[in-house]
Amino acid sequence: MKEPYRADEHVVADTAVSSAVGLSVERRCAGLAAAAVHCRGRLLKLAEPIAAGSDVVLDQAPEPRTVLTVLETSIGRHCLSDVVVTTAAVTVAGRRGWGCVLGWDAEAAVASALLAASDSAQVDALTAEGLAREQAVRAERRAQTQTTRMAAS
């Protein structure tokens, strides 16, 4: 009988496995989560051939969870609110993968988990693109808020 799924063990168990470009497992998962937002179609398309393989096990079906959002401002960090995410875990040919995406998106969560278990240059490129797009969006938002001034009364 298979042991119950524990997310902390699933991620930690494969920390030695990282991408060809030297991304940590955590950074790769973050990049795939960003790709789910910024280039979802490519994420799903890249995961399709992996999902079609015969050596794929769904360890944790997609399920909603909440995480605390921390807002970083010029005056410090503030706990903002809980945000819904979807997580999933798979094993592909003996390699574990875990995915977490923003909102309720079971398809993207499984795709992220499948790609996290993959060792592919295409996945590395998608991860890098997701991280770059997320960084650009954050920089744009930061620039917009820095120009906001409060009038003295």
Side-chain angles (χ1 to χ4, degrees):
M1 186 165 143
K2 193 170 189 171
E3 290 185 31
Y5 171 78
R6 287 192 42 204
D8 56 339
E9 289 177 357
H10 198 85
V11 175
V12 174
D14 287 341
T15 53
V17 178
S18 60
S19 67
V21 293
L23 289 174
S24 69
V25 172
E26 293 82 4
R27 192 77 175 137
R28 194 172 205 207
C29 287
L32 290 170
V37 172
H38 301 292
C39 28
R40 185 177 187 276
R42 284 189 47 218
L43 178 101
L44 298 177
K45 186 175 181 179
L46 198 54
E48 282 179 13
I50 299 168
S54 62
D55 198 7
V56 176
V57 176
L58 183 62
D59 298 321
Q60 177 212 324
E63 63 182 18
R65 296 177 183 259
T66 58
V67 294
L68 182 65
T69 302
V70 177
L71 178 65
E72 293 187 33
T73 68
S74 58
I75 58 171
R77 300 176 92 187
H78 305 281
C79 297
L80 190 58
S81 71
D82 287 326
V83 175
V84 174
V85 296
T86 307
T87 62
V90 300
T91 301
V92 179
R95 278 185 78 166
R96 293 174 138 189
W98 179 80
C100 180
V101 299
L102 189 59
W104 173 247
D105 191 345
E107 192 176 25
V110 172
S112 293
L114 289 166
L115 296 178
S118 170
D119 190 20
S120 160
Q122 290 177 317
V123 174
D124 291 339
L126 180 66
T127 300
E129 182 179 345
L131 290 169
R133 285 191 179 187
E134 184 67 25
Q135 186 176 15
V137 167
R138 286 182 183 195
E140 182 180 334
R141 285 183 186 150
R142 196 174 311 115
Q144 289 172 348
T145 58
Q146 286 177 343
T147 59
T148 304
R149 300 282 184 241
M150 296 201 47
S153 24

